Amino acid sequence: MKSEQVKIKFCGLRSEADIGYVNELLPDYIGFVFAKNSKRYVTPELAFRLKMELDERIVAVGVFVDEEVENVISLLNDRVVDMAQLHGNEDDEYIMRLKVMTDAPVIKAFKIKKVDDVRKAESCVADYLLLDSGEGSGENFDWSLLEGIKREFFLAGGLNERNVREAIDLISPMAVDVSSGIETGGRKDFEKMKAFYNEVRRDA
């Protein structure tokens, strides 16, 4: 896959300043985290206000962990978010309910520790996979486990401007997803966001 095809997702946005940053850079996706135990949690009301300020060219993804399916459906159908990203124990039945009740694509996250985890992910009914080392651990996993993967995927976990080009060249993800790697002191850092963006787009 050529570098110009790799999409960028900046996750964990929670302020008007963050929206200003992404409106300038224009990543393909941004993420609002609706998991209450996350330090990046936003309320649906705040997410709605931020979405109203978001450039229409950017897809807003809602990040959920074992949320009541009706709540996810509501946020999708009300266009607070455009896609759902699931990080809990949501099964294929849960995902199919979202697909039947909304017209939104669904991303399912999987922790990758061994090759069997990749095979399990490949059988999921979600539209896209997100492959990670764990819940916001900020560390990457052994990318060689993804050799021969048969589905498009978002790559997450420990990415930053120093290693994202290596990841793209090595395993050709559909998209790269970053949160802590573009933060300083727990807040989004525009210079880090710009550096990450430029590395992904380099040679495009």
Side-chain angles (χ1 to χ4, degrees):
M1 183 178 291
K2 296 180 181 178
S3 60
E4 66 263 31
Q5 296 175 297
V6 178
K7 298 182 183 298
I8 298 171
K9 177 167 172 277
F10 289 146
C11 201
L13 275 60
R14 52 199 173 111
S15 72
E16 291 184 5
D18 295 347
I19 298 297
Y21 297 157
V22 297
N23 283 348
E24 182 169 340
L25 294 171
L26 293 179
D28 303 279
Y29 307 92
I30 61 93
F32 295 129
V33 178
F34 295 104
K36 291 182 179 178
N37 64 345
S38 170
K39 61 185 178 183
R40 301 182 184 93
Y41 169 73
V42 294
T43 64
E45 294 77 19
L46 176 57
F48 178 78
R49 293 199 301 272
L50 296 177
K51 174 71 179 310
M52 295 295 288
E53 299 177 19
L54 184 68
D55 190 293
E56 292 182 354
R57 290 170 286 183
I58 304 172
V59 176
V61 180
V63 179
F64 303 95
V65 180
D66 296 322
E67 182 62 65
E68 292 288 340
V69 69
E70 291 79 7
N71 294 339
V72 181
I73 291 169
S74 177
L75 287 167
L76 290 168
N77 285 339
D78 291 343
R79 302 302 182 191
V80 176
V81 289
D82 307 305
M83 297 175 66
Q85 179 175 314
L86 309 175
H87 277 261
N89 297 303
E90 303 90 355
D91 57 13
D92 282 354
E93 181 180 353
Y94 182 110
I95 294 167
M96 287 306 301
R97 182 145 183 223
L98 286 182
K99 290 165 71 68
V100 168
M101 299 299 293
T102 77
D103 59 0
V106 178
I107 306 167
K108 181 68 176 85
F110 290 87
K111 301 175 196 175
I112 304 301
K113 306 291 186 186
K114 54 188 184 299
V115 172
D116 285 350
D117 297 329
V118 179
R119 301 289 87 82
K120 177 182 176 183
E122 286 181 321
S123 68
C124 178
V125 299
D127 299 281
Y128 301 104
L129 309 177
L130 183 143
L131 307 179
D132 197 355
S133 55
E135 302 97 336
S137 67
E139 298 178 0
N140 50 30
F141 58 92
D142 181 359
W143 295 329
S144 69
L145 294 171
L146 303 183
E147 185 176 353
I149 188 169
K150 298 177 178 63
R151 291 187 58 179
E152 293 186 320
F153 60 95
F154 288 68
L155 179 67
L159 294 176
N160 54 54
E161 74 273 14
R162 297 180 301 278
N163 64 13
V164 68
R165 170 53 50 183
E166 178 188 358
I168 290 169
D169 292 343
L170 187 65
I171 56 175
S172 300
M174 182 198 87
V176 288
D177 187 326
V178 62
S179 187
S180 60
I182 50 170
E183 292 179 348
T184 298
R187 297 287 178 181
K188 292 296 183 273
D189 181 320
F190 180 68
E191 292 305 317
K192 289 184 178 180
M193 295 169 84
K194 184 165 64 173
F196 186 94
Y197 182 95
N198 288 339
E199 276 298 303
V200 178
R201 294 287 178 253
R202 179 162 56 86
D203 302 328

